[in-house]
Amino acid sequence: KGAGKAAWRPFTPELETERSDEERLEQDLRHAIAAGQLGVAYQPIIGLAHGGVNAREALLRWTHPARGAVSPRKFIPVAEKSDLIRTLGLWVLDRACRDAAAWSDTARICVNVSVRQLGDGSLPRAVQEILGQTGLAPRRLELEITETVLSNTTEGIVDDLQLLHAMGVRISLDDFGVGFSSLGRLRAYPFDRIKLDASFVRDAVERPDCRAIVGVVAELGRRLGIETVAEGVETPAQLAVIHEEGFTEAQGYLFGRAILSAPAAAPAA
Ligand code: C2E
Ligand code: MG
Ligand code: MG
Ligand code: MG
C-alpha cells in the first residue's frame, strides 16, 4: 500500500512472512522494557591529543528470550516506524545519565537520538528533568543525531536542538558523509561535533579518495570550529591516518568494544 496505487505487487507468501516477522518483532520490543530485556553498553571515545577517554557512547542492547541478542541495526529502524522509538529513546537517556553521574571520571556521555524524538519540545523538557534528577552537568551530555536530520525540514527540530544547546548540552552529527545532505544546512544547526562515518575510516589507508575525504572533513571541522570524531577505527594504520589528518577524537574496536554495564544503583532516598 505504501508504494502507491499503481505500484501494486502480487501477493506472495514471502512478503507476508516478512511483514508479520517485523510486526512480531515490534510487539516483542514493546514489552522489552518492562520485561527487563534491554541494557545499555558503553564504548569509549578517545581524545587523540592525550590518548585518554573523553567520552563513552551509550548503545542499546536487546536480549530477546527466543532470538537472543538482536542488533540495534535491526530493531531501531522498526522502532523508528512508530512512537516506540520515543519510549526507547527516553529509557536509554535516563539510564545513561544515571550511569554517567556515577562514573568516577568526568567523561561525556553520548546518547543517540532519533529525529522522531525532536520537533515538539518534549526532548528538551525531558532532558531538563533527567539532568535535574541525576545531577549530571549539562556539558557532560552529548546527543548524537544522524545526518538524515539535515534533510528533514520540520521547523521544530532546529528549535529543539537550539534549546538543548542553550542548556549546555552538546550536539553531534552522527554518521557524517553517508546521508547526502547539503553542506549549507550544517550552519543552521548548533553542532559541537561531527562523527565521520566508519565507511571512510575503513578504506582511508588503502584508498587515496577516502583519505582525501577524511582530510577534508578534519579541515571542515577546524574551519567551522567543530570537533571531529572518527568512527570505526580498528587498526593502528587507520589511527595513524586520522591522527595525521587532524581528527580530535576516535572511536572503534582498536580502543574497545561497547561493554554492557549493570545499572547504577539508585541514589539513597
Ligand atoms: P552508531 O550510533 O553509528 O554507533 C556506532 C556503531 O558502530 C555501534 O554499533 C558500534 O558497536 C559500532 N562500532 C564501533 N566501533 C566499531 C568498529 O571499530 N568496527 C565496527 N565494525 N563497528 C564498530 P551498534 O551498537 O550495533 O549500533 C548500531 C546503530 O544503532 C548505531 O550506530 C545507532 O545508529 C543505532 N543505535 C544504537 N543504540 C541506539 C539508541 O539508543 N537510540 C537510537 N536512536 N539509535 C541507537
Ligand atoms: Mg552514534
Ligand atoms: Mg555513529
Ligand atoms: Mg556509524
Side-chain angles (χ1 to χ4, degrees), residues 107-157:
R108 307 189 312 273
I109 171 70
C110 304
V111 181
N112 292 286
V113 162
S114 163
V115 71
R116 273 191 87 123
Q117 294 176 260
L118 295 165
D120 63 359
S122 63
L123 190 69
R125 282 195 299 275
V127 164
Q128 187 83 265
E129 193 181 319
I130 290 171
L131 291 177
Q133 283 167 0
T134 58
L136 188 76
R139 334 215 117 250
R140 288 187 57 202
L141 176 60
E142 183 162 310
L143 302 178
E144 300 192 357
I145 296 117
T146 59
E147 196 190 352
T148 47
V149 76
L150 297 182
S151 50
N152 191 318
T153 51
T154 311
E155 227 173 88
I157 294 176

Side-chain angles (χ1 to χ4, degrees), residues 9-248:
R9 291 195 288 185
F11 175 84
T12 64
E14 292 81 48
L15 275 178
E16 181 60 19
T17 315
E18 196 181 290
R19 204 199 62 207
S20 51
D21 185 57
E22 187 171 305
E23 277 171 2
R24 250 179 280 129
L25 197 73
E26 193 202 320
Q27 278 307 311
D28 292 353
L29 190 52
R30 286 190 182 277
H31 298 110
I33 295 181
Q37 295 162 5
L38 295 183
V40 179
Y42 296 99
Q43 185 181 30
I45 298 174
I46 304 301
L48 292 176
H50 47 77
V53 174
N54 277 3
R56 296 180 188 89
E57 179 172 4
L59 294 159
L60 197 50
R61 294 291 177 259
W62 178 24
T63 311
H64 187 280
R67 300 169 195 249
V70 184
S71 166
R73 293 195 201 278
K74 179 161 185 170
F75 71 79
I76 292 287
V78 172
E80 280 179 332
K81 288 185 180 168
S82 71
D83 271 0
L84 180 52
I85 191 63
R86 297 168 67 95
T87 313
L88 291 179
L90 282 182
W91 184 85
V92 175
L93 187 68
D94 180 68
R95 232 328 265 285
C97 289
R98 275 191 287 127
D99 287 348
W103 291 344
S104 58
D105 59 20
T106 56
R108 307 189 312 273
I109 171 70
C110 304
V111 181
N112 292 286
V113 162
S114 163
V115 71
R116 273 191 87 123
Q117 294 176 260
L118 295 165
D120 63 359
S122 63
L123 190 69
R125 282 195 299 275
V127 164
Q128 187 83 265
E129 193 181 319
I130 290 171
L131 291 177
Q133 283 167 0
T134 58
L136 188 76
R139 334 215 117 250
R140 288 187 57 202
L141 176 60
E142 183 162 310
L143 302 178
E144 300 192 357
I145 296 117
T146 59
E147 196 190 352
T148 47
V149 76
L150 297 182
S151 50
N152 191 318
T153 51
T154 311
E155 227 173 88
I157 294 176
V158 183
D159 296 343
D160 275 5
L161 293 176
Q162 300 283 9
L163 272 173
L164 287 157
H165 196 249
M167 288 162 54
V169 171
R170 310 297 169 103
I171 312 290
S172 73
L173 182 56
D174 204 354
D175 302 329
F176 184 70
V178 291
F180 300 105
S181 59
S182 140
L183 277 179
R185 289 189 56 81
L186 256 182
R187 294 172 307 146
Y189 297 77
F191 293 121
D192 300 284
R193 250 171 222 94
I194 289 174
K195 297 186 79 173
L196 179 65
D197 192 70
S199 52
F200 302 100
V201 177
R202 196 156 299 138
D203 297 333
V205 177
E206 280 90 26
R207 288 180 47 178
D209 55 341
C210 282
R211 176 154 188 159
I213 292 170
V214 169
V216 164
V217 171
E219 176 68 7
L220 181 72
R222 279 191 295 275
R223 300 281 289 264
L224 294 180
I226 298 175
E227 298 217 41
T228 43
V229 188
E231 299 190 293
V233 177
E234 295 183 351
T235 67
Q238 290 166 348
L239 172 61
V241 168
I242 61 131
H243 194 56
E244 278 162 32
E245 295 294 348
F247 268 72
T248 52

